[in-house]
Amino acid sequence: MLRALFALVMLSVVAACSGAKDLDQPPVPLGDFRLEHNIVLAESAQRGPLSRPATEEQLTASVKDAVTARFGRYEGTSRYHFGISVEGYVLAQPGIPLVLAPKSALILNVTVWDDAAGKKLNDEPEQITVLETFGTAPIIGTGYTMTAEEQLTELSENAAKAIERFLVRQQNEEGWFAPDAQNASPVAAEGATAPPT
């Protein structure tokens, strides 16, 4: 399945909005939400065709940093945890301008845990696929204009923004992060429990 997805990504002209451009603005409302544990794993990440390499440590650190930057701004009293696995990536190499300009991509699975309830909010992981930001290099591709580290940073920021959109949708449709009268008082961070990996 990932191989077919990678093939679509390599040919895709769909692009993403810049994931970090709104970090200097107030965070999008997410109800009574605070991110406690931000667990990112990349031990099974598949490198897509024609991709530059990235280590497991680079993948996990980049995604973790981007998620912390976006969700560390929330100061609700109810604690939630993210379990994120990096499933695959493409860090585009230089292509042939106007003929083949490969797109960088990142594929994640995301699970959200409710600390108070001690269970997952989504039984099945949400798969998120993001591409490089539109306008970075629309003709020649980022393989010519960015290092692998810069590509990964941009993809991670776009992924964090996509996770935010997923959470907003779930809040609107499923009532996630609504305040619980029994757990409305501030809680100490040291009592938090990490979700199983």
Side-chain angles (χ1 to χ4, degrees):
M1 178 177 170
L2 280 178
R3 186 178 300 275
L5 189 54
F6 279 137
L8 288 174
V9 166
M10 296 297 286
L11 296 174
S12 176
V13 294
V14 177
C17 296
S18 177
K21 67 178 183 179
D22 62 345
L23 287 179
D24 59 347
Q25 301 171 14
V28 173
L30 274 180
D32 188 22
F33 173 88
R34 185 173 83 214
L35 179 61
E36 193 68 31
H37 293 290
N38 173 19
I39 300 171
V40 181
L41 302 175
E43 56 192 13
S44 301
Q46 295 185 27
R47 176 182 168 188
L50 304 178
S51 174
R52 292 166 164 169
T55 66
E56 179 181 341
E57 291 74 19
Q58 288 173 320
L59 292 167
T60 55
S62 184
V63 172
K64 189 177 184 72
D65 288 349
V67 168
T68 297
R70 179 159 296 278
F71 294 99
R73 302 177 297 163
Y74 291 91
E75 299 178 347
T77 61
S78 295
R79 300 175 299 203
Y80 296 88
H81 315 298
F82 291 167
I84 301 172
S85 64
V86 181
E87 298 296 306
Y89 69 95
V90 174
L91 300 178
Q93 299 187 48
I96 304 171
L98 299 177
V99 178
L100 175 62
K103 299 295 182 185
S104 298
L106 190 64
I107 304 169
L108 308 174
N109 281 344
V110 179
T111 302
V112 182
W113 292 78
D114 182 330
D115 185 79
K119 65 178 184 179
K120 302 175 186 177
L121 288 181
N122 52 322
D123 291 330
E124 296 295 325
E126 175 75 5
Q127 186 161 99
I128 289 175
T129 302
V130 294
L131 303 181
E132 63 190 45
T133 300
F134 179 77
T136 306
I139 297 176
I140 62 174
T142 58
Y144 282 109
T145 61
M146 301 174 74
T147 66
E149 291 77 12
E150 290 170 335
Q151 290 172 321
L152 184 54
T153 295
E154 180 184 85
L155 289 170
S156 298
E157 291 168 348
N158 290 350
K161 181 65 177 179
I163 293 171
E164 180 186 84
R165 288 193 293 266
F166 165 63
L167 298 187
V168 169
R169 185 174 73 247
Q170 293 301 102
Q171 182 191 33
N172 292 336
E173 296 177 1
E174 304 293 335
W176 286 15
F177 317 128
D180 183 339
Q182 295 180 345
N183 297 298
S185 59
V187 291
E190 58 267 23
T193 55
T197 56

